[in-house]
């Protein structure tokens, strides 16, 4: 357990010291969302309608910016060898990495999404669903992204490749995340959508690290 | 270092590695017992690094078996990882972390915590004469200083088996002497050292030389080895 926290806390320290990487992902999220009200002009009704999709799609795209560096640096400087020799299964290493990624990327987005929703004139009833959807959905994105990042270790243009691999996988998250917000805005129950997201998260927590661990093993050889 | 290791010989039988349809080496056997060293010599591209990665369990051999005492290594890869310290081609240092933080992380990965870690780290930095670098970001260090910081991680580990791939790259004469001293101390308490090097590095009196390239020539036919390992 100590080694798990060691990996996670080192990644958090690295993220803090290399603050620009983190700031870029979060700024991308903010800037792109803010472009929509500017592009659509003063049509509050239209904005409120597209708000769920804009928030979710932008969050997914912003997350894609952060995955290529998840294992790339370790693969280049030999750190991956040391992680593989920690005596921890590579799946557990991947889980620690995914958790650190979520804390540095997902968590800031959960905080920012409701603030950005104001600029999109989101229905006040829908904020709860937005936040809950992000709380359940962003860890799934981090876990799927970890698999993608592990698969592209050593590949050229890894950043684009990881987006092409991971974005299709996140479609269910996008669908149920936006459905939950839509339902809440229209006064419909959101429970079923959140349960679907919870089920996906419950499946992703054990399965995604296993897949990422297997991909890392391939990368080592 | 007042500890001593109780460790059965680390051996490989009939090891073979095929990469991209080419046999890097085959029919290679070795044995390292407590207090002895193995020097992997041979020209560039002779398979020294591949062999060291096989020994570390990072690369699966195409054929043959590694054993620790009598137990096959592949039955307990995690346990094998815990008894070895590996220094690869690259120094695996993060440039935004200080030299001390980098080494401390390597020790935390081995489950070494608290005052034991602080003491082991200080001792290793001291023996390589890099105590003054402990708080400097690794990104500021010269390549020799980076190599020594990476070596400090090996020296401070509690592993009986050291696997060193070109440990002397970028080191000055004084640092090579310091490394030789550390290796001698490790061997004296029953440790084992495998070093791939083509520079002069004194590994003590009980050292065996091995050239993976000479084993590759023994390969009669690649088809005996293949299990889909890219054998063309």
């Amino acid at each position: 357990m100590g080694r798990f926290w060691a990996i996670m806390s080192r990644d958090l320290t690295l993220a803090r010291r290399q603050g620009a990487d983190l700031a870029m992902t979060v700024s991308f999220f903010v800037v792109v969302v803010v472009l929509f009200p500017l592009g659509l002009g003063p049509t509050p009704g239209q904005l409120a309608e597209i708000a769920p999709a804009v928030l979710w799609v932008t969050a997914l795209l912003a997350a894609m910016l952060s995955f290529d560096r998840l294992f790339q640096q370790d693969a280049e400087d030999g750190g991956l060898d040391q992680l593989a020799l920690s005596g921890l299964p590579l799946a557990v290493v991947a889980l620690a990495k995914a958790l650190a990624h979520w804390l540095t990327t997902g968590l800031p987005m959960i905080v920012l999404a409701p603030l950005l929703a104001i600029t999109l004139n989101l229905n006040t009833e829908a904020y709860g669903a937005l936040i809950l959807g992000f709380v359940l959905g962003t860890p799934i994105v981090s876990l799927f992204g970890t698999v993608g990042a592990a698969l592209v270790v050593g590949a050229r243009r890894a950043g684009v490749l990881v987006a092409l691999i991971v974005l299709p996988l996140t479609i269910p998250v996008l669908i149920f995340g936006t459905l939950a917000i839509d339902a809440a805005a229209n006064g419909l129950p959101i429970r079923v959508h959140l349960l679907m997201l919870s089920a996906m998260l419950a499946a992703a927590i054990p399965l995604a690290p296993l897949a990422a661990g297997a991909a890392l093993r391939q990368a080592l050889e | 270092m007042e500890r001593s290791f109780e460790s059965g010989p680390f051996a490989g039988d009939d090891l073979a590695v095929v990469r991209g349809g080419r046999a890097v080496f085959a029919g290679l056997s070795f044995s390292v017992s407590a207090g002895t060293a193995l020097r992997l010599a041979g020209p560039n591209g002779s398979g020294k690094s591949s062999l060291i990665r096989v020994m570390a369990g990072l690369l699966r051999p195409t054929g043959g078996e590694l054993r620790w005492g009598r137990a096959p290594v592949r039955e307990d890869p995690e346990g094998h990882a815990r008894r070895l310290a590996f220094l690869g081609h690259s120094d695996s240092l993060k440039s935004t972390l200080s030299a001390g933080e980098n080494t401390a992380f390597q020790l935390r990965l081995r489950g070494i915590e608290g005052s034991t870690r602080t003491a082991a780290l200080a001792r290793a930095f001291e023996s390589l004469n890099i105590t003054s670098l402990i708080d400097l970001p690794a990104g500021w260090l010269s390549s020799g200083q980076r190599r020594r910081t990476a070596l400090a991680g090996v020296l401070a580990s509690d592993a009986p088996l050291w696997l060193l791939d070109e440990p002397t790259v970028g080191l000055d004469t004084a640092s090579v002497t310091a490394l030789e001293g550390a290796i001698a101390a490790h061997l004296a308490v029953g440790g084992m050292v495998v070093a791939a090097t083509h520079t002069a590095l004194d590994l003590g009196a009980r050292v065996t030389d091995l050239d993976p390239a000479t084993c590759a020539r023994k390969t009669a036919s690649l088809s005996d080895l293949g299990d889909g390992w890219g054998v063309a």
Side-chain angles (χ1 to χ4, degrees):
Chain A
M1 211 53 201
R3 279 171 288 190
F4 179 87
W5 295 120
I7 296 171
M8 201 196 71
S9 67
R10 186 205 56 164
D11 270 24
L12 292 180
T13 311
L14 284 174
R16 207 175 59 236
R17 301 252 174 104
Q18 302 163 354
D21 291 352
L22 175 59
M24 241 180 308
T25 307
V26 174
S27 318
F28 181 87
F29 182 47
V30 174
V31 169
V32 174
V33 170
V34 168
L35 287 180
F36 278 88
L38 298 174
L40 278 170
T43 45
Q46 219 176 345
L47 267 179
E49 219 166 286
I50 62 162
V54 168
L55 287 167
W56 264 106
V57 170
T58 314
L60 290 177
L61 292 178
M64 294 310 132
L65 296 181
S66 59
F67 287 126
D68 62 329
R69 63 164 196 275
L70 199 55
F71 294 111
Q72 209 66 36
Q73 204 185 0
D74 279 316
E76 280 163 11
D77 66 15
L80 199 56
D81 293 339
Q82 300 297 343
L83 291 175
L85 293 173
S86 63
L88 282 179
L90 281 170
V92 179
V93 172
L95 184 63
K97 287 267 189 184
L99 185 56
H101 178 270
W102 179 74
L103 287 172
T104 52
T105 313
L107 211 53
M109 285 193 201
I110 295 173
V111 175
L112 285 170
L115 300 175
L116 292 170
I118 298 171
T119 69
L120 296 173
N121 191 33
L122 185 73
N123 189 321
T124 29
E125 310 295 312
Y127 279 82
L130 170 69
I131 296 168
L132 284 172
F134 262 67
V135 166
L136 292 170
T138 50
I140 306 178
V141 176
S142 286
L143 286 161
F144 284 176
T146 307
V147 180
L151 281 170
V152 301
V153 166
R156 281 180 307 121
R157 312 278 295 151
V160 182
L161 197 54
V162 80
L164 291 177
I165 294 172
V166 177
L167 279 175
L169 293 175
T170 58
I171 290 171
V173 179
L174 174 67
I175 290 174
F176 289 103
T178 49
L179 275 180
I181 306 175
D182 277 334
N186 296 312
L188 298 167
I190 59 169
R191 190 163 172 272
V192 62
H193 308 304
L194 296 180
L195 283 177
M196 283 303 291
L197 285 174
S198 311
M200 281 187 260
L201 179 59
I205 288 174
L207 295 181
L210 284 176
L216 287 177
R217 175 62 61 192
Q218 283 299 314
L220 282 169
E221 300 192 343
Chain B
M1 290 198 214
E2 55 295 310
R3 57 179 188 262
S4 81
F5 301 111
E6 284 293 320
S7 38
F10 174 53
D13 284 332
D14 200 25
L15 292 168
V17 166
V18 177
R19 309 211 77 174
R22 192 180 72 91
V24 182
F25 54 78
L28 188 151
S29 300
F30 71 90
S31 175
V32 197
S33 51
T36 68
L38 180 67
R39 183 205 314 273
L40 307 180
N44 294 337
S46 59
K48 301 189 295 288
S49 294
S50 296
L51 180 56
I52 271 204
R53 291 181 72 80
V54 165
M55 288 178 177
L58 291 169
L59 183 65
R60 231 169 314 184
T62 320
E65 185 160 73
L66 283 176
R67 280 177 294 104
W68 184 269
R70 243 172 277 159
V73 160
R74 69 183 144 70
E75 280 176 10
D76 181 19
E78 272 93 33
H80 184 61
R82 273 192 289 273
R83 53 185 176 240
L84 66 88
F86 173 78
L87 176 80
H89 266 300
S90 7
D91 300 319
S92 70
L93 302 177
K94 295 279 177 277
S95 46
T96 44
L97 298 182
S98 73
E101 285 171 326
N102 271 298
T103 308
F105 172 67
Q106 287 197 9
L107 298 182
R108 290 187 70 190
L109 272 186
R110 308 196 62 88
I112 305 173
E113 293 289 347
S115 57
T116 325
R117 186 177 72 217
T118 325
L121 196 150
R123 211 164 42 220
F125 271 66
E126 174 83 53
S127 65
L128 291 168
N129 301 317
I130 46 172
T131 307
S132 58
L133 309 179
I134 230 167
D135 292 319
L136 287 185
W140 293 10
L141 303 181
S142 77
S143 64
Q145 290 172 329
R146 291 174 63 91
R147 200 64 178 157
R148 278 188 278 168
T149 306
L151 275 165
V154 175
L155 265 56
S157 77
D158 52 358
L161 173 63
W162 291 0
L163 300 174
L164 312 173
D165 192 355
E166 301 288 1
T168 55
V169 169
L171 294 192
D172 55 26
T173 330
S175 307
V176 172
T177 312
L179 172 62
E180 285 169 345
I183 288 175
H186 181 64
L187 293 173
V189 293
M192 309 172 192
V193 176
V194 177
T197 177
H198 45 239
T199 61
L201 178 68
D202 181 13
L203 295 172
R206 301 169 67 193
V207 58
T208 319
D209 282 321
L210 181 70
D211 179 356
T214 57
C215 301
R217 289 190 211 111
K218 288 185 206 155
T219 327
S221 146
L222 281 184
S223 55
D224 308 341
L225 313 166
D227 60 350
W229 248 82
V231 182

